[in-house]
DNA sequence: AATGGCCCCAACCGCCGTTTC
DNA sequence: AGAAACGGCGGTTGGGGCCAT
């Protein structure tokens, strides 16, 4: 990008007419060749900026509004396994972008992650999957499964929201408030949790040890090593669907 | 009413891997 | 084969809105 060209490029918030123009040209030319699309459209924006605007805001497939409880759980679990692989996590949440998830994580969980309890879930440490699974199951799943069976997830959600509303809180309030209320998992979540447990158990200990020894220092465990039990080649979406059905 | 803190989210940046020429 | 262009990703910033003090 030469400096002369850069001078003429607009930055900052997008105007409505810019959005309209971008949508028009993406519809016409497709979601590719962003630099040429930016040139052809006459938008005084970089291709990168156009792509970002489309991907994170204008794309009609995007989901709006707050994260659902199920999405929260998925984010938590996948982040515990993969770390800050936002785009990878986003691929498991249709309609959500990596930016959405990144922002959501930062505002909702990062501080809690730094706090004492949550850190235990994230820190696989030398105990690897057992710690994650034990902590998760003991504190969340086991306690809430009963509630889930009694009322069904929708019922719980409604009850939870109603309770929060009565207390003057927003319907889809903070994670830990929800946790303390004992609402953590839908059938979806239970299946994911079971799935994690199942796959974790099935993995050979040799793979686990090998991966941890290669990717982790003594005091600084790389949580991305969670990939030892999950390969990208497997279509996670399909697998989740099978769990759901 | 003013102020500060927090939440939310759009947008940018720099880096890096991939694709194209 | 190598350079340039492109696209994707994760980190960061900044502004608007809301709320408590």
């Amino acid at each position: 990008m030469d400096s002369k060209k850069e001078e003429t490029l607009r930055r900052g918030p997008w105007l409505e007419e810019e959005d309209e123009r971008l949508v028009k040209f993406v519809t016409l030319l497709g979601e590719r060749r962003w630099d040429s699309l930016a040139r052809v459209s006459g938008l005084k924006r970089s291709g990168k900026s156009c792509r970002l605007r489309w991907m994170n805001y204008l794309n009609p497939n995007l989901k709006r509004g707050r994260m659902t409880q199920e999405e929260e759980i998925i984010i938590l679990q996948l982040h515990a396994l993969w770390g800050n692989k936002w785009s990878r996590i986003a691929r498991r949440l249709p309609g959500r972008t990596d930016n959405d998830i990144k922002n959501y994580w930062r505002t909702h969980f990062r501080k809690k992650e730094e706090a004492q309890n949550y850190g235990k879930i994230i820190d696989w440490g030398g105990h690897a999957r057992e710690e994650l699974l034990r902590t998760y199951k003991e504190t969340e799943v086991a306690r809430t499964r009963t509630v889930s069976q009694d009322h069904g997830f929708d019922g719980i959600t409604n009850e939870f929201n109603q309770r929060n509303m009565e207390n003057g809180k927003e319907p889809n309030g903070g994670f830990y408030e929800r946790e303390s209320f004992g609402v953590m998992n839908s059938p979806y979540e239970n299946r994911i949790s079971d799935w994690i447990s199942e796959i974790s158990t099935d993995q050979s200990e040799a793979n686990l040890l090998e991966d941890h020894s290669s990717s982790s220092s003594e005091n600084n465990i790389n949580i991305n090593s969670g990939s030892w039990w999950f390969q990208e080649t497997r279509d996670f979406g399909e697998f989740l669907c099978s769990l759901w059905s």
Side-chain angles (χ1 to χ4, degrees), chain A residues 65-231:
Chain A
R66 304 181 71 88
M67 293 285 177
T68 66
Q69 292 169 353
E70 286 164 297
E71 286 172 325
E72 279 185 7
I73 297 300
I74 292 171
I75 291 169
L76 268 174
Q77 291 183 335
L78 294 184
H79 186 274
L81 295 171
W82 295 335
N84 297 355
K85 299 296 177 186
W86 307 119
S87 62
R88 196 173 175 187
I89 295 172
R91 283 198 286 272
R92 315 309 182 204
L93 292 168
R96 300 296 188 184
T97 69
D98 55 346
N99 217 28
D100 288 339
I101 293 163
K102 190 166 49 181
N103 285 332
Y104 192 77
W105 175 266
R106 283 181 59 83
T107 51
H108 284 78
F109 299 128
R110 195 180 60 167
K111 284 181 183 172
K112 286 160 186 164
E113 178 188 17
E114 288 163 3
Q116 70 290 4
N117 291 332
Y118 188 69
K120 291 179 183 170
I121 299 176
I122 298 301
D123 179 17
W124 286 33
H127 305 295
R129 69 180 191 274
E130 285 78 9
E131 179 71 4
L132 171 69
L133 293 168
R134 186 186 59 73
T135 308
Y136 179 81
K137 290 200 168 193
E138 282 181 5
T139 59
E140 330 286 51
V141 177
R143 180 155 50 94
T144 59
R145 186 160 286 165
T146 311
V147 183
S148 210
Q149 284 165 351
D150 286 348
H151 306 290
F153 187 72
D154 287 344
I156 297 166
T157 306
N158 292 336
E159 193 177 346
F160 169 73
N161 285 342
Q162 191 178 349
R163 179 82 65 90
N164 263 354
M165 299 269 268
E166 286 167 6
N167 292 336
K169 294 173 182 169
E170 58 186 353
N172 199 12
F175 174 78
Y176 279 80
E177 292 161 355
R178 187 171 314 117
E179 179 191 19
S180 63
F181 186 61
V183 178
M184 283 294 293
N185 57 325
S186 65
Y188 195 4
E189 295 155 29
N190 281 338
R191 285 162 194 263
I192 292 172
S193 168
D194 291 342
W195 164 73
I196 289 171
S197 180
E198 180 186 325
I199 292 184
S200 297
T201 307
D202 287 349
Q203 287 295 320
S204 74
E205 201 64 29
N207 285 348
L208 172 68
L209 294 172
E210 184 183 330
D211 194 83
H212 271 269
S213 62
S214 63
S215 63
S216 307
S217 66
E218 271 192 11
N219 299 318
N220 183 23
I221 301 300
N222 176 12
I223 60 175
N224 291 336
S225 61
S227 58
W228 57 266
W229 59 266
F230 181 73
Q231 301 299 315

Side-chain angles (χ1 to χ4, degrees), chain A residues 14-25:
Chain A
W14 281 65
L15 304 173
E16 202 177 322
E17 49 265 39
E18 288 181 306
D19 282 346
E20 286 170 7
R21 187 180 283 255
L22 179 57
V23 169
K24 192 170 140 188
F25 276 86

Side-chain angles (χ1 to χ4, degrees), chain A residues 20-49:
Chain A
E20 286 170 7
R21 187 180 283 255
L22 179 57
V23 169
K24 192 170 140 188
F25 276 86
V26 170
T27 308
L28 217 60
L29 304 174
E31 300 175 32
R32 58 203 165 83
R33 294 281 173 188
W34 291 103
D35 273 2
S36 58
L37 187 147
R39 274 194 303 273
V40 170
S41 66
L43 285 163
K44 291 180 171 53
R45 297 279 185 173
S46 68
K48 217 168 177 175
S49 179

